[in-house]
Amino acid sequence: MFLVRIFAFVLSLMIVFVALLLIFGGYRKVSNKVDRWISTDGFFKRLDSSVSIDKFLLNRLTGVLIFIGSSYIIIYYLFYSVLSGWPAHASKAFSVIFGLTGIFIGVGLIMGAETIRKINDKLSFWVSTERLFRPLDNIKNIDGWFYRHNILVGILLLLACLLINLRLWLM
């Protein structure tokens, strides 16, 4: 909990800095200096390239480890978990499905890596995420609203920081 308090305090100091920039009008100079487009194509280049994992995953030792880990997950969540409520039940269901999938993959790796290779070749296809991330590339211009209401936004940010810090440090 102490680290959460420290993190919240540091974050609130940054928010106070932004709020003071908004209140006293220095936000336009700072905004013009830091408001620039950064290309992320270089970061995601490795994700777009194909990677061969046959040497690492398709062997019997990995199959045994996956089988043991998946079995443990299933046994723990079905018989020893004491969590209750709908989020816990949803988590249990997800974990059991995840465990069953892992058992299937582990048994497949133990019994024959060639079969898994054939299934992998049939199921392996390229999925484009270009359409999915296209809305993130659209530029939304909300600076005008902040320019018109800069003092109000700054005061609200200061109040939010004050309330967060009072809640974290005094209670």
Side-chain angles (χ1 to χ4, degrees):
M1 185 66 177
F2 182 72
L3 288 177
V4 172
R5 289 180 178 180
I6 296 297
F7 177 75
F9 180 71
V10 171
L11 184 65
S12 68
L13 286 178
M14 292 188 300
I15 292 173
V16 165
F17 175 72
V18 170
L20 291 175
L21 282 176
L22 284 169
I23 291 172
F24 294 112
Y27 58 92
R28 286 190 180 169
K29 284 193 267 183
V30 174
S31 175
N32 289 336
K33 288 184 181 181
V34 298
D35 190 18
R36 65 185 74 201
W37 183 78
I38 298 173
S39 174
T40 58
D41 291 339
F43 295 117
F44 296 116
K45 191 175 230 175
R46 291 195 63 174
L47 293 177
D48 291 336
S49 64
S50 63
V51 177
S52 175
I53 59 171
D54 292 343
K55 295 177 186 175
F56 299 105
L57 292 180
L58 298 179
N59 58 40
R60 287 183 171 83
L61 178 61
T62 304
V64 169
L65 292 175
I66 291 173
F67 180 81
I68 291 170
S70 299
S71 300
Y72 175 77
I73 288 172
I74 290 174
I75 291 169
Y76 176 78
Y77 278 106
L78 284 180
F79 301 112
Y80 296 108
S81 178
V82 294
L83 300 174
S84 62
W86 73 267
H89 294 305
S91 175
K92 285 180 187 180
F94 175 76
S95 298
V96 168
I97 291 170
F98 179 73
L100 289 173
T101 305
I103 285 177
F104 173 73
I105 292 171
V107 168
L109 288 173
I110 292 168
M111 298 312 255
E114 189 61 36
T115 307
I116 296 295
R117 246 186 233 117
K118 288 178 185 175
I119 293 171
N120 184 34
D121 290 340
K122 288 182 182 177
L123 295 177
S124 181
F125 54 90
W126 184 74
V127 177
S128 174
T129 58
E130 187 68 30
R131 193 182 69 183
L132 180 68
F133 289 113
R134 194 173 296 140
L136 296 177
D137 292 336
N138 293 337
I139 297 173
K140 306 286 186 207
N141 191 3
I142 61 169
D143 292 340
W145 188 87
F146 282 101
Y147 290 156
R148 287 190 307 270
H149 303 93
N150 62 321
I151 295 175
L152 175 67
V153 172
I155 291 171
L156 290 175
L157 284 173
L158 286 175
L159 287 174
C161 287
L162 180 67
L163 289 175
I164 289 170
N165 282 305
L166 286 175
R167 172 72 174 110
L168 283 174
W169 293 96
L170 296 180
M171 295 187 186

